[in-house]
């Protein structure tokens, strides 16, 4: 197994990344390694609206796997079987995400490039394979969502002052607001007015949460 590509986006750290793919329409670009920059390998892919990404949890420490994990969805206090969760701490650190294919760029440097939205991957995550999403086979509207669906919480109202929002590139504004509305905090942290901060596109986004409202309080350059 070896990476065929890496993803490029604004998330340089785990905190703040949408918990599942497709929940926030933030743009990303998939850049292939030189060996796989072959136009013929992408023939017909433009006919699909969505694709599957098979990727690696590359930032997870290499340690012995555990048969149970503490899902954030359950407040981090209850253990469930690892195979009943999407925890990154797995026997093999492999992730699977369905994303929207926006376009295939054959003209840019290092092309072909895949422009996608809805990825829940950190910047520079290695990708092992790409497959088309097939609605007739891959979609099961009647499927049960298990404890993840049962404990699904509502979205937060996002108060993003215009002066701070204007510091975010316009192409990323709606996606960032969508990601914030899903409450980036761990489920077990609920301290009103505590300031949380995460990196996004070379910026530090700081916010508080109180009474189901997330308020962005500062946006400043990330000086590393």
């Amino acid at each position: 197994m070896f990476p065929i590509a890496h993803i490029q986006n604004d998330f340089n750290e785990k905190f703040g990344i949408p918990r599942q793919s497709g929940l926030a329409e933030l743009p990303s670009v998939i850049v292939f390694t030189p060996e796989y920059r072959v136009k013929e390998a992408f023939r017909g892919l433009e006919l699909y609206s969505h694709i599957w990404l098979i990727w690696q949890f590359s930032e997870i420490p290499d340690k012995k796997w555990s048969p149970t994990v503490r899902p954030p969805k359950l407040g981090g206090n209850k253990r469930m079987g690892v195979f009943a969760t999407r925890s990154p701490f797995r026997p093999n650190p492999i992730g699977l995400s369905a994303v929207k294919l926006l376009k295939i760029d054959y003209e840019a440097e290092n092309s072909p490039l895949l422009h996608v939205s809805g990825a829940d991957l950190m910047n520079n995550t290695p990708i092992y394979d790409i497959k088309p999403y097939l609605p007739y086979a891959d979609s099961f509207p009647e499927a049960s969502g298990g404890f993840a669906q049962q404990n699904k919480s509502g979205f937060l109202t996002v108060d993003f002052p215009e002066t701070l929002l204007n510091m975010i590139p316009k192409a990323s504004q709606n996606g960032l607001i969508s990601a914030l509305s899903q409450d980036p905090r761990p489920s077990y942290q609920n301290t009103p007015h505590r300031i949380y901060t995460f990196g996004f596109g070379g910026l530090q986004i700081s916010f508080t949460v109180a009474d189901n409202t997330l308020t962005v309080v500062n946006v400043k350059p990330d000086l590393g």
Side-chain angles (χ1 to χ4, degrees):
M1 294 282 288
F2 45 85
I4 64 169
H6 291 79
I7 198 165
Q8 294 182 353
N9 60 30
D10 289 322
F11 287 109
N12 288 314
E13 57 186 81
K14 181 180 177 182
F15 184 50
I17 295 177
R19 291 190 174 94
Q20 303 293 342
S21 61
L23 297 182
E25 294 189 2
L26 285 161
S28 299
V29 179
I30 298 174
V31 182
F32 290 82
T33 59
E35 183 178 358
Y36 299 99
R37 295 171 190 167
V38 181
K39 291 184 178 180
E40 288 76 11
F42 301 85
R43 184 182 300 158
L45 188 61
E46 72 280 357
L47 301 176
Y48 297 92
S49 65
H50 293 73
I51 56 177
W52 289 107
L53 306 180
I54 301 172
W55 49 278
Q56 179 190 3
F57 288 102
S58 55
E59 297 300 313
I60 299 301
D62 185 13
K63 64 180 183 179
K64 185 178 180 180
W65 78 286
S66 172
T68 61
V69 296
R70 300 178 187 269
K73 205 71 174 177
L74 298 180
N77 297 315
K78 184 176 181 180
R79 285 195 171 274
M80 301 295 288
V82 65
F83 299 127
T85 76
R86 295 193 176 188
S87 168
F89 300 99
R90 320 188 65 78
N92 292 303
I94 298 299
L96 178 68
S97 299
V99 299
K100 185 176 183 179
L101 178 61
L102 300 176
K103 70 174 182 178
I104 306 175
D105 188 344
Y106 291 104
E107 305 299 329
E109 184 180 3
N110 299 328
S111 63
L113 303 176
L114 301 187
H115 291 258
V116 302
S117 72
D120 55 343
L121 286 67
M122 188 185 304
N123 183 48
N124 208 38
T125 293
I127 296 174
Y128 286 101
D129 202 2
I130 291 172
K131 299 178 184 292
Y133 177 93
L134 304 178
Y136 76 90
D138 295 341
S139 178
F140 299 91
E142 74 284 3
S144 169
F147 67 83
Q149 184 70 28
Q150 294 168 7
N151 289 274
K152 184 177 180 181
S153 59
F155 290 97
L156 299 175
T157 298
V158 177
D159 180 6
F160 208 137
E162 186 174 0
T163 54
L164 298 178
L165 183 60
N166 287 338
M167 298 177 65
I168 310 298
K170 287 190 177 297
S172 298
Q173 290 180 2
N174 289 337
L176 176 58
I177 291 173
S178 178
L180 290 170
S181 74
Q182 297 161 38
D183 196 349
R185 302 173 303 165
S187 298
Y188 50 84
Q189 291 186 5
N190 190 25
T191 305
H193 307 300
R194 173 178 173 176
I195 296 178
Y196 300 86
T197 301
F198 67 90
F200 180 82
L203 299 169
Q204 289 284 315
I205 313 296
S206 298
F207 64 90
T208 62
V209 180
D211 299 327
N212 293 318
T213 296
L214 183 151
T215 302
V216 178
V217 297
N218 198 13
V219 175
K220 63 181 181 180
D222 186 352
L223 301 179

